Amino acid sequence: MSNASRLLVVDDDQDLRDTLAEQLGLHDEFQVTTAETANGAIEAVKGDRIDLAIMDVGLPDMDGREAVKVMRQNGFRSPIIMLTAQGSETDTVMGLEAGANDYVVKPFKFAVLLARIRAQLRQYEASEDAVFQIGPYIFRPGSKLLTTEKGSKLKLTEKETAILRYLYRAGQAVVGRDTLLTEVWGYNSNVTTHTLETHIYRLRQKIESDPSNASILVTEPGGYKLIP
């Protein structure tokens, strides 16, 4: 899946870490990496885009909550779910104050953790902090920006941002023109498909190396889709 969410599983219990990575990896919507220490987690979120981190509290080199503080101070904005063997209210509050978004107490059912992960990702995608990969670009819809690997920034209009966001969420499914018009311009809008095609044309001028032969935002029978 082109827009699979990148998860980081951090736990010093190898059996649990491997089991979680294996079970999450069975879902096409996720790509999973792992770390066994707090410092490993801190470095992992610096070096690559991570969409959600699952952090154990009891890590060998640092309390997981302290690691979360460091990650937040370093600019990591994606959701963090803490895993802990202790379920006291004080313990939960400490984790949330450190910067975690949610708390799951061990032992837990995988289905519960999976539901929490999906809920946090949905909230994150709708937030101003969301960051996505589109082709060679980092897409920041909250800032209406595309950034290249070299750091160059492409400013997007509100409608261009909305078009890319909707197509991204569709994975590689084709989105019909009428659907895009409704989602981007609203149900009561009088805009035509010509308006949409004009915006698609301008978007391609910005993001495609060869706009006349699109390889990222492509036309398909019935509509458009994004290619990784």
Side-chain angles (χ1 to χ4, degrees):
M1 188 175 179
S2 65
N3 57 357
S5 297
R6 300 184 185 187
L7 308 184
L8 173 66
V9 176
V10 187
D11 201 301
D12 62 330
D13 181 334
Q14 183 174 348
D15 289 340
L16 177 60
R17 189 172 70 245
D18 291 348
T19 298
L20 281 179
E22 181 180 354
Q23 289 183 305
L24 290 167
L26 294 174
H27 297 266
D28 290 341
E29 67 199 274
F30 303 130
Q31 291 179 4
V32 186
T33 58
T34 63
E36 59 185 277
T37 64
N39 283 307
I42 291 166
E43 290 305 311
V45 300
K46 283 183 186 175
D48 201 356
R49 178 176 65 86
I50 298 295
D51 297 307
L52 182 143
I54 302 164
M55 294 280 298
D56 187 29
V57 168
L59 295 169
D61 54 339
M62 187 190 304
D63 186 293
R65 290 163 297 206
E66 290 301 316
V68 168
K69 283 184 183 178
V70 174
M71 290 159 67
R72 294 304 193 204
Q73 288 166 0
N74 289 346
F76 184 64
R77 295 288 175 263
S78 299
I80 298 174
I81 297 177
M82 301 294 296
L83 302 180
T84 179
Q86 302 170 10
S88 72
E89 184 176 328
T90 301
D91 208 54
T92 302
V93 169
M94 287 174 62
L96 297 175
E97 287 184 344
N101 300 82
D102 202 354
Y103 231 84
V104 176
V105 179
K106 299 177 183 177
F108 55 84
K109 292 184 178 179
F110 177 73
V112 171
L113 178 63
L114 183 61
R116 299 283 187 90
I117 290 170
R118 286 171 171 161
Q120 288 297 329
L121 287 171
R122 282 195 300 271
Q123 290 180 33
Y124 175 65
E125 285 186 8
S127 76
E128 293 296 300
D129 293 325
V131 176
F132 308 113
Q133 184 84 35
I134 294 179
Y137 304 101
I138 297 295
F139 177 39
R140 292 179 169 83
S143 304
K144 300 182 181 68
L145 280 178
L146 289 172
T147 307
T148 67
E149 293 176 352
K150 295 181 180 179
S152 300
K153 294 180 180 180
L154 300 173
K155 188 67 177 173
L156 301 172
T157 67
E158 183 178 344
K159 291 294 188 279
E160 289 168 347
T161 301
I163 290 168
L164 284 183
R165 186 198 284 266
Y166 194 82
L167 289 175
Y168 179 88
R169 286 177 172 168
Q172 289 195 57
V174 177
V175 177
R177 291 175 176 82
D178 288 342
T179 300
L180 265 181
L181 280 170
T182 299
E183 293 295 333
V184 174
W185 277 271
Y187 291 97
N188 300 320
S189 176
N190 293 319
V191 299
T192 65
T193 54
H194 176 72
T195 301
L196 173 62
E197 288 160 1
T198 299
H199 280 78
I200 295 290
Y201 172 82
R202 290 174 180 165
L203 254 178
R204 285 178 174 152
Q205 297 298 312
K206 291 182 178 181
I207 70 176
E208 300 281 0
S209 57
D210 180 4
S212 62
N213 185 26
S215 60
I216 299 172
L217 202 177
V218 300
T219 302
E220 294 283 347
Y224 303 99
K225 74 175 182 179
L226 282 180
I227 301 293

